[in-house]
Coordinates of all heavy atoms in Angstrom, one line a residue:
Q1033 N 0.5 6.0 1.3 CA 1.3 7.0 0.5 C 2.4 7.6 1.4 O 3.5 7.8 1.0 CB 0.4 8.1 -0.1 CG -0.5 7.5 -1.2 CD -1.5 8.5 -1.7 OE1 -2.0 9.3 -0.9 NE2 -1.8 8.4 -3.0
K1034 N 2.0 8.0 2.6 CA 3.0 8.6 3.5 C 4.1 7.6 3.9 O 5.3 8.0 3.8 CB 2.3 9.0 4.8 CG 3.2 9.6 5.9 CD 2.4 10.0 7.1 CE 3.4 10.5 8.2 NZ 4.1 9.5 8.9
R1035 N 3.7 6.4 4.1 CA 4.7 5.4 4.5 C 5.6 5.0 3.3 O 6.8 4.7 3.5 CB 4.1 4.1 5.1 CG 3.5 4.3 6.5 CD 2.5 3.3 6.8 NE 2.1 3.3 8.3 CZ 1.4 4.2 8.9 NH1 1.0 5.3 8.2 NH2 1.1 4.2 10.2
L1036 N 5.1 5.0 2.1 CA 5.9 4.7 0.9 C 6.9 5.9 0.7 O 8.1 5.6 0.4 CB 5.0 4.7 -0.3 CG 4.1 3.4 -0.5 CD1 3.2 3.6 -1.7 CD2 5.0 2.2 -0.7
R1037 N 6.5 7.1 1.0 CA 7.5 8.2 0.9 C 8.6 8.1 1.9 O 9.7 8.5 1.7 CB 6.7 9.5 1.1 CG 5.9 10.1 -0.1 CD 5.5 11.5 0.2 NE 4.8 12.1 -0.9 CZ 3.4 12.3 -0.9 NH1 2.7 11.8 0.2 NH2 2.8 12.8 -1.9
E1038 N 8.3 7.5 3.0 CA 9.3 7.3 4.1 C 10.2 6.1 3.8 O 11.1 5.8 4.6 CB 8.6 7.1 5.4 CG 7.8 8.3 5.9 CD 6.9 8.1 7.1 OE1 6.6 6.9 7.4 OE2 6.4 9.1 7.6
G1039 N 9.9 5.3 2.8 CA 10.7 4.2 2.4 C 10.4 2.9 3.1 O 11.2 1.9 3.1
R1040 N 9.2 2.8 3.7 CA 8.8 1.6 4.3 C 8.4 0.5 3.3 O 7.8 0.8 2.3 CB 7.7 1.8 5.3 CG 8.0 2.7 6.5 CD 6.9 2.9 7.4 NE 6.4 1.7 8.1 CZ 7.0 1.1 9.1 NH1 8.0 1.7 9.7 NH2 6.5 0.0 9.7
P1041 N 8.7 -0.8 3.6 CA 8.4 -1.8 2.6 C 6.9 -2.1 2.7 O 6.2 -2.0 3.7 CB 9.2 -3.0 3.1 CG 9.5 -2.8 4.6 CD 9.6 -1.3 4.7
I1042 N 6.3 -2.4 1.5 CA 4.9 -2.6 1.4 C 4.4 -3.7 2.2 O 3.2 -3.7 2.7 CB 4.5 -2.7 -0.1 CG1 3.0 -2.4 -0.2 CG2 4.9 -4.0 -0.7 CD1 2.5 -2.2 -1.6
A1043 N 5.2 -4.8 2.4 CA 4.7 -5.9 3.2 C 4.4 -5.5 4.6 O 3.5 -6.0 5.3 CB 5.8 -7.0 3.2
L1044 N 5.2 -4.6 5.2 CA 4.9 -4.1 6.5 C 3.7 -3.1 6.5 O 2.9 -3.1 7.5 CB 6.2 -3.4 7.1 CG 7.4 -4.3 7.4 CD1 8.5 -3.4 7.9 CD2 7.0 -5.4 8.4
I1045 N 3.7 -2.3 5.5 CA 2.6 -1.3 5.4 C 1.2 -2.0 5.4 O 0.2 -1.6 6.0 CB 2.7 -0.4 4.2 CG1 4.0 0.4 4.3 CG2 1.6 0.6 4.1 CD1 4.4 1.2 3.0
A1046 N 1.1 -3.1 4.6 CA -0.2 -3.8 4.4 C -0.8 -4.2 5.8 O -1.9 -3.9 6.0 CB 0.0 -5.0 3.6
D1047 N 0.0 -4.7 6.7 CA -0.5 -5.2 8.0 C -0.9 -4.0 8.8 O -1.9 -4.0 9.5 CB 0.6 -6.0 8.7 CG 0.1 -6.5 10.0 OD1 -0.9 -7.3 10.0 OD2 0.7 -6.1 11.1
E1048 N -0.2 -2.9 8.7 CA -0.4 -1.7 9.5 C -1.8 -1.0 9.2 O -2.4 -0.4 10.0 CB 0.7 -0.7 9.4 CG 2.0 -1.1 9.9 CD 3.1 -0.1 9.6 OE1 2.9 0.8 8.8 OE2 4.2 -0.3 10.1
V1049 N -2.2 -1.1 7.9 CA -3.4 -0.5 7.5 C -4.6 -1.4 7.2 O -5.6 -1.0 6.6 CB -3.1 0.4 6.3 CG1 -2.2 1.5 6.6 CG2 -2.6 -0.4 5.1
G1050 N -4.4 -2.7 7.6 CA -5.6 -3.6 7.5 C -5.8 -4.5 6.3 O -6.9 -4.9 6.1
Y1051 N -4.7 -4.8 5.6 CA -4.8 -5.7 4.5 C -4.0 -6.9 4.8 O -2.9 -6.9 5.4 CB -4.3 -5.0 3.2 CG -5.2 -3.9 2.8 CD1 -4.8 -2.5 3.1 CD2 -6.4 -4.1 2.1 CE1 -5.7 -1.5 2.7 CE2 -7.2 -3.1 1.8 CZ -6.9 -1.8 2.1 OH -7.7 -0.7 1.7
E1052 N -4.6 -8.1 4.4 CA -4.0 -9.4 4.8 C -2.7 -9.7 4.0 O -2.0 -10.6 4.3 CB -5.0 -10.5 4.6 CG -5.4 -10.8 3.1 CD -6.6 -9.9 2.7 OE1 -6.9 -8.9 3.3 OE2 -7.1 -10.2 1.6
S1053 N -2.5 -9.0 2.9 CA -1.3 -9.2 2.1 C -0.9 -8.0 1.2 O -1.8 -7.1 1.0 CB -1.6 -10.4 1.1 OG -2.5 -10.1 0.1
P1054 N 0.3 -7.9 0.8 CA 0.7 -6.8 -0.1 C -0.1 -6.8 -1.4 O -0.4 -5.7 -1.9 CB 2.2 -7.1 -0.4 CG 2.7 -7.9 0.7 CD 1.5 -8.7 1.2
S1055 N -0.5 -7.9 -1.9 CA -1.3 -7.9 -3.2 C -2.7 -7.4 -2.9 O -3.3 -6.6 -3.7 CB -1.4 -9.3 -3.7 OG -2.0 -10.2 -2.8
A1056 N -3.3 -7.7 -1.7 CA -4.6 -7.1 -1.4 C -4.5 -5.6 -1.2 O -5.4 -4.8 -1.7 CB -5.1 -7.7 -0.1
L1057 N -3.4 -5.1 -0.6 CA -3.2 -3.7 -0.5 C -3.0 -3.1 -1.9 O -3.6 -2.0 -2.2 CB -1.9 -3.4 0.3 CG -1.4 -2.0 0.3 CD1 -2.4 -1.0 0.7 CD2 -0.1 -1.9 1.2
S1058 N -2.3 -3.7 -2.8 CA -2.0 -3.1 -4.1 C -3.3 -3.0 -4.9 O -3.5 -2.0 -5.6 CB -1.0 -4.0 -4.9 OG 0.2 -3.9 -4.3
R1059 N -4.2 -4.0 -4.8 CA -5.5 -3.9 -5.5 C -6.3 -2.8 -5.0 O -6.9 -2.0 -5.8 CB -6.2 -5.3 -5.3 CG -5.6 -6.4 -6.1 CD -6.6 -7.6 -6.1 NE -6.9 -8.2 -4.8 CZ -6.2 -9.1 -4.2 NH1 -5.1 -9.6 -4.8 NH2 -6.5 -9.5 -3.0
A1060 N -6.4 -2.6 -3.7 CA -7.2 -1.5 -3.1 C -6.6 -0.2 -3.5 O -7.3 0.8 -3.8 CB -7.2 -1.6 -1.6
F1061 N -5.2 -0.1 -3.5 CA -4.5 1.2 -3.8 C -4.8 1.5 -5.3 O -5.1 2.7 -5.6 CB -3.0 1.0 -3.6 CG -2.2 2.2 -3.7 CD1 -1.9 2.9 -2.5 CD2 -1.8 2.8 -4.9 CE1 -1.1 4.0 -2.5 CE2 -1.0 3.9 -4.9 CZ -0.7 4.5 -3.8
R1062 N -4.8 0.5 -6.2 CA -5.0 0.8 -7.6 C -6.5 1.2 -7.8 O -6.7 2.1 -8.6 CB -4.7 -0.4 -8.4 CG -4.8 -0.2 -9.9 CD -4.5 -1.4 -10.7 NE -3.1 -1.8 -10.7 CZ -2.2 -1.2 -11.6 NH1 -2.6 -0.3 -12.4 NH2 -1.0 -1.5 -11.5
R1063 N -7.4 0.6 -7.1 CA -8.8 1.0 -7.2 C -9.0 2.5 -6.8 O -9.8 3.1 -7.5 CB -9.6 0.1 -6.3 CG -11.1 0.2 -6.5 CD -11.9 -0.9 -5.9 NE -11.9 -0.9 -4.4 CZ -11.2 -1.8 -3.7 NH1 -10.5 -2.8 -4.3 NH2 -11.2 -1.7 -2.4
K1064 N -8.3 2.9 -5.8 CA -8.5 4.3 -5.4 C -7.7 5.3 -6.2 O -8.1 6.4 -6.6 CB -8.0 4.4 -3.9 CG -8.2 5.8 -3.3 CD -9.7 6.2 -3.2 CE -9.8 7.5 -2.4 NZ -11.2 7.9 -2.3
V1065 N -6.4 5.0 -6.5 CA -5.5 5.9 -7.1 C -5.3 5.7 -8.6 O -5.0 6.7 -9.4 CB -4.1 5.8 -6.5 CG1 -3.0 6.7 -7.1 CG2 -4.2 6.0 -5.0
G1066 N -5.6 4.5 -9.1 CA -5.4 4.3 -10.6 C -4.1 3.8 -10.9 O -3.8 3.6 -12.1
K1067 N -3.2 3.6 -9.9 CA -1.8 3.1 -10.2 C -1.5 2.1 -9.0 O -2.1 2.2 -7.9 CB -0.8 4.2 -10.2 CG -1.0 5.3 -11.2 CD 0.0 6.4 -11.1 CE -0.2 7.5 -12.1 NZ 0.8 8.6 -12.0
S1068 N -0.5 1.3 -9.3 CA 0.0 0.4 -8.2 C 0.8 1.3 -7.3 O 1.3 2.4 -7.6 CB 0.9 -0.7 -8.8 OG 2.1 -0.1 -9.2
P1069 N 1.1 0.8 -6.0 CA 1.9 1.6 -5.1 C 3.3 1.9 -5.7 O 3.8 3.1 -5.6 CB 2.0 0.7 -3.9 CG 0.8 -0.1 -3.9 CD 0.5 -0.3 -5.3
R1070 N 3.9 1.0 -6.4 CA 5.2 1.2 -7.0 C 5.1 2.3 -8.1 O 6.0 3.1 -8.2 CB 5.7 -0.1 -7.6 CG 7.2 0.0 -8.1 CD 7.6 -1.3 -8.7 NE 7.5 -2.4 -7.8 CZ 8.5 -2.8 -6.9 NH1 9.6 -2.0 -6.9 NH2 8.4 -3.8 -6.1

């Protein structure tokens, strides 16, 4: 969430926080927040 506010692309964020792909990050994000990152 912090990196999204800063305008960083999700493809770079995924690797920084331990997900093998943006889609894996999006699934985990939705599971926690109830929405996609976008």
